[in-house]
Amino acid sequence: MNTRVAIVTGGSRGIGRAIAERLAADGQAVAVVYATNRAEADDTVRTITDKGGAAIAVQADVADEAAVTALFDTVEAEFGGVDVVVNSAGLMILGNVADFDLADLDRLHRTNIRGTFVVDQQAARRVRGGGAIVNLSTSVTRLALPTYAAYAASKGAVDAISMILARELRGRDITVNAVAPGPTATALFLDGKDQETVDRMARANPMERLGMPDDIAEVVSFLAGPGRWVNGQTLYANGGVV
């Protein structure tokens, strides 16, 4: 097959779903990876296939190396190879450092750090030449907002993994980048926030609005396709918030 093939973790909802649908619209066959919600994953696949695209839903715990190995095996068997891997699966748990539940810290790090590392490990072994690996980070690593310490720390690790992996893949013609969204209108971001907080964060950037999942998907589409000269970078997709 000449069609490029993409794996999108967390691809059943929010930013991940927007990315899966955008890559499919770009002509890529897409594996929509979900953790527990098969119905949402199937709905994403149906949306893609109804528009003439190719997609499958695959369940996997991104932090489980056996499950991730099986995921790549499934995609290679179905589509013939892997060209693009997008790590969009993630957790966000907020709280002050002084009061933060360490069990929640472990959950955050298991998905956001170990999950990214495990998926990137298989991607580094199996993505074909000319391919791309894109990890989802966050602009909060620079904004330093109170209550975001645990989440930002986990995404700072994602930035480091991305930069180093890009250099480890020297000579393979595979790019590795991170995309760092700002406040984006997803259930993950909006959950637990009152309208005043949402409005304040929307006004924090010069565009004076929240990002939309499609805004982030557009950046990932560039990195997963024509953006071959961008490598080892974290791109801040946040409307200009500083």
Side-chain angles (χ1 to χ4, degrees), residues 12 32 38 82 106 170 175 193 222:
S12 65
V32 176
R38 179 64 190 244
V82 178
D106 291 342
R170 174 183 292 273
T175 62
K193 294 182 175 67
F222 170 71

Side-chain angles (χ1 to χ4, degrees), residues 16-241:
R17 177 168 181 158
I19 291 168
E21 292 181 6
R22 174 59 186 264
L23 295 182
D26 291 343
Q28 301 200 36
V30 179
V32 176
V33 184
Y34 68 97
T36 57
N37 197 322
R38 179 64 190 244
E40 288 186 335
D42 285 342
D43 187 60
T44 305
V45 168
R46 189 162 44 248
T47 298
I48 290 170
T49 57
D50 284 350
K51 294 178 181 179
I56 58 172
V58 185
Q59 193 277 332
D61 174 356
V62 293
D64 182 331
E65 59 269 35
V68 171
T69 299
L71 159 66
F72 276 76
D73 289 344
T74 297
V75 175
E76 288 177 343
E78 181 72 21
F79 294 124
V82 178
D83 302 285
V84 173
V85 174
V86 181
N87 270 302
S88 184
L91 293 178
M92 182 166 64
I93 304 171
L94 305 183
N96 293 325
V97 171
D99 306 316
F100 204 84
D101 187 327
L102 295 183
D104 285 340
L105 181 69
D106 291 342
R107 287 175 55 216
L108 258 180
H109 285 197
R110 184 179 187 278
T111 297
N112 295 359
I113 300 177
R114 180 184 170 90
T116 297
F117 197 99
V118 169
V119 174
D120 278 0
Q121 186 175 69
Q122 285 299 313
R125 295 170 179 172
R126 300 167 77 161
V127 166
R128 297 183 287 204
I133 300 168
V134 183
N135 298 319
L136 269 291
S137 179
T138 177
S139 290
V140 178
T141 54
R142 294 201 308 190
L143 298 177
L145 299 176
T147 75
Y148 280 82
Y151 178 70
S154 72
K155 291 299 188 174
V158 170
D159 291 342
I161 293 167
S162 305
M163 182 184 302
I164 293 168
L165 182 57
R167 286 149 180 80
E168 291 179 349
L169 295 182
R170 174 183 292 273
R172 294 269 305 278
D173 190 26
I174 297 169
T175 62
V176 187
N177 293 287
V179 173
T184 305
T186 65
L188 184 70
F189 169 76
L190 295 171
D191 184 44
K193 294 182 175 67
D194 58 36
Q195 192 60 47
E196 180 182 355
T197 299
V198 171
D199 291 344
R200 174 173 50 79
M201 298 185 79
R203 292 191 300 268
N205 69 75
M207 309 296 284
E208 295 190 331
R209 67 172 177 86
L210 292 178
M212 301 301 294
D214 286 347
D215 294 320
I216 313 307
E218 184 174 43
V219 177
V220 173
S221 170
F222 170 71
L223 295 174
R228 303 302 303 164
W229 201 235
V230 181
N231 192 24
Q233 306 298 317
T234 297
L235 275 67
Y236 291 85
N238 58 25
V241 65

